[in-house]
Amino acid sequence: LNFEVIPRDNLDTKIKSKIVFLEAYINEIPIDILSYQPKSKPPTKFIQYDPISEFPSATRDFSFSILNPNNNELISNFLNLIFNYENYILRNMFIFDYFYNEKNDELKIGIRFIFQSNKKTLSISEIDNVIDDIMSIVDELRYVNVPGFIKNDSN
């Protein structure tokens, strides 16, 4: 078999990998090609494609006040609880602000929650239900406050 490498000089592309070309008649391909054993295994895990939603997203920003800012284990526990929380409409969350208030000896962490559905525009009550669920988890941590948050009681 005569494999050829085609130059990329005349192609408008950023890809640098080689282009390998082979032209052959089927009856010229050796039969022992069928006994080829791959040198590596195919991947077992694939990242599932998640289509981009056509529906609008909604964001909610919260400032969490940690009352014992010198205890790294408490802070780590809080962040693990928040960032391991899952709900099908909660698309993303990230820290957008981090401030240590020396005067009050508290750490404030601003976290943005992004909500979106692939099936419909979310209602305020659907988003509030998830926020209430997150806040009930945070409420169990006696060392974390959410200034200004009032639980949605209309459920």
Coordinates of all heavy atoms in Angstrom, one line a residue, residues 106-143:
E106 N -15.5 38.4 59.2 CA -16.4 37.5 58.4 C -15.9 37.5 57.0 O -15.3 38.4 56.5 CB -17.8 38.0 58.4 CG -18.1 39.3 57.7 CD -19.6 39.7 57.7 OE1 -20.4 38.8 58.0 OE2 -19.8 40.9 57.5
L107 N -16.2 36.4 56.3 CA -15.8 36.2 54.9 C -17.1 36.2 54.1 O -18.0 35.5 54.5 CB -15.1 34.8 54.8 CG -14.7 34.5 53.3 CD1 -13.6 35.4 52.8 CD2 -14.1 33.0 53.3
K108 N -17.1 37.0 53.1 CA -18.2 37.1 52.2 C -17.9 36.4 50.9 O -16.9 36.8 50.3 CB -18.7 38.5 52.0 CG -19.3 39.1 53.3 CD -20.3 40.1 53.0 CE -20.9 40.6 54.3 NZ -22.2 41.1 54.1
I109 N -18.7 35.5 50.4 CA -18.5 34.8 49.1 C -19.7 35.0 48.3 O -20.8 34.6 48.7 CB -18.2 33.3 49.3 CG1 -16.9 33.1 50.2 CG2 -18.0 32.6 48.0 CD1 -16.6 31.7 50.5
G110 N -19.5 35.7 47.1 CA -20.6 35.9 46.2 C -20.7 34.8 45.2 O -19.7 34.5 44.5
I111 N -21.8 34.1 45.1 CA -22.0 33.0 44.2 C -23.1 33.3 43.2 O -24.2 33.7 43.7 CB -22.2 31.7 44.9 CG1 -21.0 31.4 45.8 CG2 -22.4 30.5 43.9 CD1 -21.1 30.1 46.6
R112 N -22.9 33.1 41.9 CA -23.9 33.3 40.9 C -24.4 31.9 40.5 O -23.7 31.0 40.2 CB -23.4 34.0 39.7 CG -24.4 34.1 38.5 CD -24.0 35.1 37.5 NE -24.2 36.4 38.1 CZ -23.7 37.5 37.6 NH1 -23.0 37.5 36.5 NH2 -23.8 38.7 38.2
F113 N -25.8 31.8 40.5 CA -26.4 30.6 40.1 C -27.1 30.9 38.7 O -27.8 31.9 38.6 CB -27.5 30.1 41.1 CG -26.9 29.8 42.5 CD1 -26.7 30.8 43.4 CD2 -26.5 28.5 42.7 CE1 -26.2 30.5 44.7 CE2 -26.0 28.2 44.0 CZ -25.8 29.2 44.9
I114 N -26.9 30.0 37.8 CA -27.5 30.2 36.4 C -28.4 29.0 36.2 O -28.1 27.9 36.3 CB -26.4 30.2 35.3 CG1 -25.4 31.4 35.6 CG2 -27.0 30.4 34.0 CD1 -24.2 31.4 34.8
F115 N -29.7 29.4 35.8 CA -30.8 28.4 35.6 C -31.2 28.5 34.2 O -31.3 29.6 33.6 CB -31.9 28.8 36.5 CG -31.6 28.7 38.0 CD1 -31.2 29.9 38.6 CD2 -31.7 27.6 38.7 CE1 -30.9 29.8 40.0 CE2 -31.4 27.5 40.1 CZ -31.0 28.7 40.7
Q116 N -31.5 27.3 33.6 CA -32.0 27.2 32.2 C -32.5 25.9 32.0 O -32.1 24.9 32.5 CB -30.9 27.6 31.3 CG -31.3 27.8 29.8 CD -30.2 28.2 28.9 OE1 -29.0 27.8 29.1 NE2 -30.5 29.0 28.0
S117 N -33.5 25.8 31.1 CA -34.1 24.5 30.7 C -34.0 24.4 29.2 O -34.0 25.4 28.5 CB -35.6 24.5 31.1 OG -36.3 23.4 30.5
N118 N -33.9 23.2 28.7 CA -33.9 22.9 27.3 C -35.3 22.7 26.7 O -35.4 22.6 25.5 CB -33.1 21.6 27.0 CG -31.6 21.8 27.0 OD1 -31.1 23.0 26.9 ND2 -30.8 20.8 27.3
K119 N -36.3 22.7 27.6 CA -37.6 22.4 27.2 C -38.6 23.6 27.2 O -39.6 23.6 26.5 CB -38.2 21.3 28.0 CG -37.4 20.0 27.8 CD -37.9 18.9 28.7 CE -37.0 17.7 28.5 NZ -37.3 16.6 29.4
K120 N -38.3 24.6 28.0 CA -39.2 25.7 28.2 C -38.6 26.9 28.9 O -37.5 26.8 29.5 CB -40.5 25.3 29.0 CG -40.2 24.9 30.4 CD -41.4 24.5 31.1 CE -41.1 24.3 32.6 NZ -42.2 24.6 33.5
T121 N -39.3 28.0 28.9 CA -38.8 29.1 29.7 C -39.2 28.8 31.2 O -40.4 28.5 31.5 CB -39.5 30.4 29.3 OG1 -39.1 30.7 27.9 CG2 -39.1 31.6 30.1
L122 N -38.3 29.0 32.1 CA -38.5 28.7 33.5 C -39.4 29.8 34.1 O -39.2 31.0 33.9 CB -37.2 28.6 34.2 CG -36.3 27.4 33.8 CD1 -34.9 27.5 34.5 CD2 -36.9 26.1 34.1
S123 N -40.2 29.3 35.1 CA -41.0 30.3 35.8 C -40.2 30.7 37.1 O -39.3 30.0 37.5 CB -42.3 29.7 36.3 OG -42.1 28.6 37.2
I124 N -40.6 31.8 37.6 CA -39.9 32.3 38.8 C -40.1 31.3 40.0 O -39.2 31.0 40.7 CB -40.5 33.7 39.3 CG1 -40.1 34.7 38.2 CG2 -40.0 34.1 40.6 CD1 -40.7 36.1 38.4
S125 N -41.3 30.7 40.1 CA -41.5 29.7 41.1 C -40.6 28.5 41.0 O -40.1 27.9 42.0 CB -43.0 29.3 41.3 OG -43.4 28.6 40.1
E126 N -40.3 28.0 39.8 CA -39.4 26.9 39.6 C -38.0 27.2 40.0 O -37.4 26.4 40.7 CB -39.4 26.5 38.1 CG -40.7 25.8 37.6 CD -40.7 25.6 36.1 OE1 -40.5 26.6 35.3 OE2 -40.9 24.5 35.6
I127 N -37.6 28.4 39.7 CA -36.2 28.8 40.2 C -36.2 29.0 41.7 O -35.3 28.6 42.3 CB -35.8 30.1 39.4 CG1 -35.7 29.9 37.9 CG2 -34.5 30.7 40.0 CD1 -35.6 31.1 37.1
D128 N -37.3 29.6 42.2 CA -37.3 29.9 43.7 C -37.3 28.5 44.4 O -36.8 28.4 45.5 CB -38.6 30.7 44.0 CG -38.4 32.2 43.7 OD1 -37.3 32.6 43.4 OD2 -39.4 32.9 43.7
N129 N -38.0 27.5 43.9 CA -38.0 26.2 44.5 C -36.6 25.6 44.7 O -36.2 25.1 45.7 CB -38.9 25.2 43.8 CG -40.3 25.5 44.0 OD1 -40.7 26.2 44.9 ND2 -41.1 25.0 43.0
V130 N -35.8 25.8 43.6 CA -34.4 25.3 43.7 C -33.6 26.2 44.7 O -32.8 25.6 45.5 CB -33.7 25.3 42.3 CG1 -32.3 24.9 42.4 CG2 -34.5 24.3 41.4
I131 N -33.8 27.5 44.6 CA -33.1 28.4 45.5 C -33.4 28.0 47.0 O -32.6 27.9 47.9 CB -33.4 29.9 45.2 CG1 -32.7 30.3 43.9 CG2 -32.9 30.8 46.4 CD1 -31.2 30.2 43.9
D132 N -34.7 27.8 47.3 CA -35.1 27.4 48.6 C -34.5 26.1 49.1 O -34.1 26.0 50.2 CB -36.7 27.3 48.7 CG -37.4 28.7 48.6 OD1 -36.7 29.7 48.8 OD2 -38.6 28.7 48.4
D133 N -34.4 25.2 48.2 CA -33.7 23.9 48.5 C -32.2 24.1 48.8 O -31.7 23.6 49.8 CB -33.9 23.0 47.3 CG -33.5 21.5 47.7 OD1 -33.7 21.1 48.8 OD2 -33.0 20.8 46.8
I134 N -31.6 25.0 48.1 CA -30.2 25.3 48.3 C -30.0 26.0 49.7 O -29.2 25.6 50.5 CB -29.6 26.1 47.2 CG1 -29.5 25.3 45.9 CG2 -28.2 26.7 47.6 CD1 -29.1 26.2 44.7
M135 N -30.9 26.9 49.9 CA -30.8 27.7 51.1 C -31.2 26.9 52.4 O -30.7 27.1 53.5 CB -31.8 29.0 51.1 CG -31.3 30.0 50.0 SD -29.6 30.5 50.3 CE -29.3 31.3 48.8
S136 N -32.0 25.9 52.2 CA -32.3 25.0 53.4 C -31.1 24.2 53.7 O -30.9 23.9 54.9 CB -33.5 24.1 53.1 OG -33.3 23.2 52.0
I137 N -30.3 23.8 52.7 CA -29.1 23.1 53.0 C -28.1 24.1 53.7 O -27.5 23.7 54.7 CB -28.4 22.6 51.7 CG1 -29.3 21.5 51.1 CG2 -27.0 22.1 51.9 CD1 -29.0 21.1 49.7
V138 N -28.0 25.3 53.2 CA -27.1 26.3 53.8 C -27.6 26.6 55.2 O -26.7 26.8 56.1 CB -27.0 27.5 52.9 CG1 -26.3 28.7 53.6 CG2 -26.3 27.2 51.6
D139 N -28.9 26.7 55.4 CA -29.4 27.0 56.7 C -29.0 26.1 57.8 O -28.9 26.4 59.0 CB -31.0 27.1 56.6 CG -31.6 27.8 57.8 OD1 -31.0 28.8 58.3 OD2 -32.6 27.4 58.3
E140 N -28.7 24.8 57.5 CA -28.3 23.8 58.4 C -26.8 24.1 58.9 O -26.4 23.6 60.0 CB -28.3 22.4 57.8 CG -29.8 22.0 57.6 CD -29.9 20.6 56.9 OE1 -28.8 19.9 56.9 OE2 -30.9 20.3 56.4
L141 N -26.1 24.9 58.2 CA -24.8 25.3 58.6 C -24.9 26.6 59.4 O -25.1 27.7 58.9 CB -23.9 25.6 57.3 CG -23.8 24.5 56.3 CD1 -23.0 25.0 55.1 CD2 -23.1 23.3 56.9
R142 N -24.8 26.4 60.7 CA -25.0 27.5 61.6 C -24.0 28.7 61.5 O -24.2 29.8 61.9 CB -25.0 27.0 63.1 CG -26.0 26.0 63.3 CD -27.4 26.6 63.3 NE -28.4 25.6 63.5 CZ -29.6 25.6 62.9 NH1 -29.8 26.6 62.0 NH2 -30.5 24.7 63.1
Y143 N -22.9 28.4 60.8 CA -21.8 29.4 60.6 C -21.9 30.2 59.3 O -21.1 31.0 59.0 CB -20.4 28.8 60.7 CG -20.2 27.7 59.7 CD1 -19.6 28.0 58.5 CD2 -20.6 26.4 60.0 CE1 -19.4 27.0 57.6 CE2 -20.3 25.4 59.0 CZ -19.7 25.7 57.8 OH -19.5 24.7 56.9

